[in-house]
Structure formats: C-alpha cells, structure tokens
Amino acid sequence: MRFVSFDLRGQRGLALADGRGGLRGLLAHEPGFPGDLDALIPLGQEALTQASRGLMAGSSFQQEEVTILPPLAAPPKIICVGLNYREHSRETGFEVPAYPALFVRFRTCLIGHRAALVRPRVSKQLDYEGELVAVVGRGGRHISKASALEHIVGYSIFNDASIRDYQMRTTQWTVGKNFDATGAFGPWLVTRDELPPGAAGLKLQTRLQGKLMQEASTSELIFDVATLVSLLSEAFTLEPGDLIVTGTPSGVGFARKPPVFMQPGDLCEIEIEGIGTLVNPVADEAS
C-alpha cells in the first residue's frame, strides 16, 4: 500500500497511489474518511488495511490536481543519522563511525513532494542529501535487533537539505539541519510488505537539474534499519509515527571540488527503487 496525504482546495485528504499517477481516496469531510496517517499508524496494521479498503471506494484524483503533503504532518520525533555510508564519511573528512552519529529535526522544517526547498536569506550553502526514511509503526523500548523490523510500518524518502555554513559553525548540527522548508519528505508512505526486509538492496539516486549527484544501494548503510531501531530504543522510547532518516551516500555538494550548492530555479529529485521519486524545486526565501 502507498498512502498519500494531500490537500485539495483547502481540504485535507488521504489516498492510495496506483503507481500510474492516479490516486483514489477521500477528503476529511467525506463519509468513511478513516483519519490521517498520524492517527492511523498508532492503531496498527489492521487499521491501515481497513483504511485502504475504504479509500479504494473513494474518488479518483490525479496527482497534478492536488497538493501532496508530507505523509505525516506531526511525527513525534524526527531522528536523523549522519555519516551512515562509508564513502560519505570519507568524503567529508570524518572517520567511519563505530556508533551512529545522531541529530534531530523539528517538524517545522517539513515540506512535501513538489513544494519548494527554500534557500534562506542568510546563506547560499543549501546542499542536498537523498535518504531513506523508516517510519515507526509500533513503539517500544529495548527492542531486539531480531524483532526490530516488526516495529517499522513502512518507508519513504527524505531530502535532508542542509545549510552547510550554519551546520559547521558548531559541533552540534542542529541549526544547519532545521531551517524552515529544508526537510522534504514523501511523496508517500510505502508499507513494509511491498519492499525487501529493512528496505535493503534498493538503489538510491539524487539528481540535480537532471545530473546524477548521488548513487548507492541501501544495503551499503553502515547501520541498517534493524540495527538503528534496536540501538535507538536502548536510549529512548520509540513512538508510532517517529521517523528514522537513515543517512545519505557520497556525492553531496559541499564535498565536491568546486562545491555544488542548490540554486533558485534548480530541481532536485531523489529516487529510491520500489518507493518512488521525491521532487522539489528550489527557491529563495521571500524578502
């Protein structure tokens, strides 16, 4: 199942994507609307299955006639993993980590598919980072690695767009990772049953203005999804709807010679095999 959160002329809705550009679903005010993903995910897999049946009885939409929103509007936590591909660690001058390099994002940074990534007034160093997102479906603490993937409801795509000069001003990356409209998330949530376990072995590509900038397999993650779930739950309780943004491969803009940063008018596309393509134009912050 591929769940799509959308807006149609000011009305929120939920739909299923058919893989051919079409959607079938319901608006929030219509009879049978099952609720949004923020509400459905904590109810478990059966609730999602029942919701999908109701959505299939809804109206047909084309993606072009709606505004596609981030799959979840208010994830409890957005947990990001840095330096999770060996070649990316090397290109940035960091040692390959023995333990995940973790930071967090706030939901105020989130935007959806086709929304503009915003280059802020205070910097011209807006960089791309294509990443796989694992979405927690069942929470818990001290989760074993053997059972960890049972706690994931599905997967999506993230552009961890970073303001590099702000990121590098301190040893903590928080500020450079949380500018408004720099966290593109979507275009939909693909349930785990549609993908290999842990979403392993999927090709990830980032293209800027049609040029291939990043390419890797999700099997190259240093800490795979199961490992991340288990390690994170040693420290804190994972909750339904939490996002685990698993890290980016090599090829980021600031590590290139000369550096390549996203410019207003650019188009950034992140494609993950079996999930889809997250597309975002780039714009300057309004004055």
Side-chain angles (χ1 to χ4, degrees):
M1 296 176 286
R2 294 165 183 263
F3 287 96
V4 183
S5 301
F6 69 93
D7 180 280
L8 179 64
R9 297 186 290 276
Q11 290 284 335
R12 288 183 64 92
L14 186 67
L16 293 176
D18 64 10
R20 301 183 298 277
L23 308 175
R24 186 171 286 274
L26 294 164
L27 295 168
H29 70 275
E30 293 182 305
F33 180 72
D36 58 23
L37 286 177
D38 298 76
L40 284 169
I41 285 174
L43 300 178
Q45 183 62 44
E46 182 57 32
L48 289 173
T49 300
Q50 290 180 1
S52 70
R53 297 189 188 111
L55 295 173
M56 287 303 294
S59 302
S60 293
F61 306 92
Q62 291 299 309
Q63 292 183 31
E64 294 73 18
E65 66 181 304
V66 304
T67 299
I68 296 181
L69 304 172
L72 287 90
K77 293 186 284 295
I78 306 172
I79 309 151
C80 303
V81 186
L83 310 175
N84 204 15
Y85 289 80
R86 286 178 174 79
E87 290 305 315
H88 177 55
S89 294
R90 295 187 181 107
E91 75 175 351
T92 56
F94 289 95
E95 293 185 4
V96 175
Y99 185 88
L102 301 175
F103 59 96
V104 296
R105 274 186 175 260
F106 312 133
R107 67 191 192 196
T108 48
C109 76
L110 294 179
I111 59 171
H113 177 60
R114 297 201 304 257
L117 291 161
V118 174
R119 187 176 73 169
R121 302 176 199 172
V122 295
S123 176
K124 296 188 182 303
Q125 295 190 15
L126 175 62
D127 205 350
Y128 52 83
E129 291 193 10
E131 311 202 16
L132 171 75
V133 183
V135 181
V136 175
R138 177 156 57 93
R141 182 89 195 278
H142 298 298
I143 300 167
S144 71
K145 184 175 177 181
S147 65
L149 294 182
E150 298 171 15
H151 290 257
I152 297 299
V153 66
Y155 298 88
S156 191
I157 306 172
F158 205 88
N159 191 340
D160 183 32
S162 306
I163 310 302
R164 294 299 189 190
D165 47 350
Y166 275 76
Q167 179 187 351
M168 301 306 177
R169 285 184 179 184
T170 76
T171 56
Q172 303 295 316
W173 296 347
T174 302
V175 66
K177 296 287 191 172
N178 276 289
F179 275 69
D180 285 355
T182 59
F185 171 35
W188 36 64
L189 173 73
V190 180
T191 52
R192 72 182 191 214
D193 58 295
E194 299 219 359
L195 297 169
L202 306 180
K203 183 166 68 174
L204 184 157
Q205 292 186 328
T206 301
R207 297 182 292 273
L208 185 63
Q209 291 295 85
K211 180 180 178 182
L212 183 64
M213 309 300 282
Q214 294 180 288
E215 184 171 32
S217 167
T218 55
S219 290
E220 298 172 36
L221 288 167
I222 298 169
F223 305 101
D224 63 15
V225 173
T227 301
L228 290 172
V229 169
S230 183
L231 288 178
L232 293 172
S233 72
E234 289 179 349
F236 49 81
T237 300
L238 291 173
E239 301 170 275
D242 282 348
L243 308 185
I244 303 174
V245 185
T246 60
T248 200
S250 62
V252 296
F254 90 98
R256 293 174 175 267
K257 301 186 188 313
V260 175
F261 295 113
M262 293 189 286
Q263 306 293 323
D266 283 353
L267 190 71
C268 189
E269 303 168 276
I270 300 169
E271 182 176 1
I272 300 182
E273 179 184 6
I275 298 179
T277 305
L278 174 65
V279 179
N280 297 94
V282 180
D284 264 337
E285 183 179 5
S287 57

